[in-house]
Amino acid sequence: MATNRTFTMIKPDAVEAGNIGGILNMITEAGFKIVSLKLTQLTTADAQAFYAVHNARPFFGELVEFMTRGPIVAAILEKDNAVEAFRTLIGATNPADAAEGTIRKKYAKSIGENAVHGSDSDENAAIEGAFHFAGREQF
Ligand code: CMP
């Protein structure tokens, strides 16, 4: 059964470009409640652990380097059917394929530097949220 929470990161490219406010505005305008929120920076070990599922992919090294090069915003979001609703809001992984009106269409530069992360399942949303936030930081 779908749960009502998902996890997101505003990635270093979007933070560097000054797009935190614009992206959070699209998220709240779409009806998501912010449950947890922080500006933080991943260490290499953090990024390797977070993206462990991709460690055999050819882009893994590039992904870890990108995700550690500057601050990110981590957030837990709440809405009915949150995982699917948020993936619709962010659009396709490759911004060239992202639909009009999506966050990646507006803010992403490339398939690697694609502005935002969205959990791909309820199970991963719970794991990824717990990776970044203690229980007392989840409202
Ligand atoms: P996301 O779906 O949030 O999590 C996995 C990330 O790997 C993805 O965003 C992209 O940032 C990155 N990624 C996926 N495919 C490629 C690719 N072909 N080349 C470089 N990076 C990629």
Side-chain angles (χ1 to χ4, degrees):
M1 197 183 81
T3 69
N4 58 358
R5 289 192 175 185
T6 191
F7 173 78
T8 186
M9 291 183 286
I10 301 176
K11 299 185 180 184
D13 58 322
V15 174
E16 286 159 9
N19 292 329
I20 295 173
I23 290 172
L24 287 179
N25 192 49
M26 284 183 77
I27 290 171
T28 53
E29 284 288 310
F32 289 87
K33 177 187 161 196
I34 296 173
V35 172
S36 307
L37 183 70
K38 71 177 163 195
L39 185 69
T40 184
Q41 186 160 356
L42 299 176
T43 65
T44 297
D46 289 335
Q48 287 171 336
F50 188 89
Y51 287 112
V53 67
H54 296 303
N55 67 9
R57 303 282 187 96
F59 58 81
F60 185 66
E62 184 186 323
L63 175 61
V64 169
E65 199 161 314
F66 163 56
M67 288 301 299
T68 57
R69 81 173 185 215
I72 59 142
V73 173
I76 297 174
L77 306 173
E78 192 169 275
K79 187 182 181 177
D80 286 350
N81 197 19
V83 166
E84 192 185 337
F86 192 68
R87 288 178 74 82
T88 300
L89 177 65
I90 66 178
T93 303
N94 186 345
D97 302 326
E100 286 298 335
T102 62
I103 292 174
R104 284 174 171 154
K105 180 73 178 181
K106 186 163 185 187
Y107 292 112
K109 297 174 184 160
S110 66
I111 191 168
E113 301 201 7
N114 62 1
V116 283
H117 168 80
S119 302
D120 63 4
S121 66
D122 291 339
E123 187 189 4
N124 284 336
I127 292 168
E128 293 170 1
F131 185 95
H132 285 272
F133 295 102
R136 69 178 182 283
E137 298 171 313
Q138 298 183 31
F139 301 94

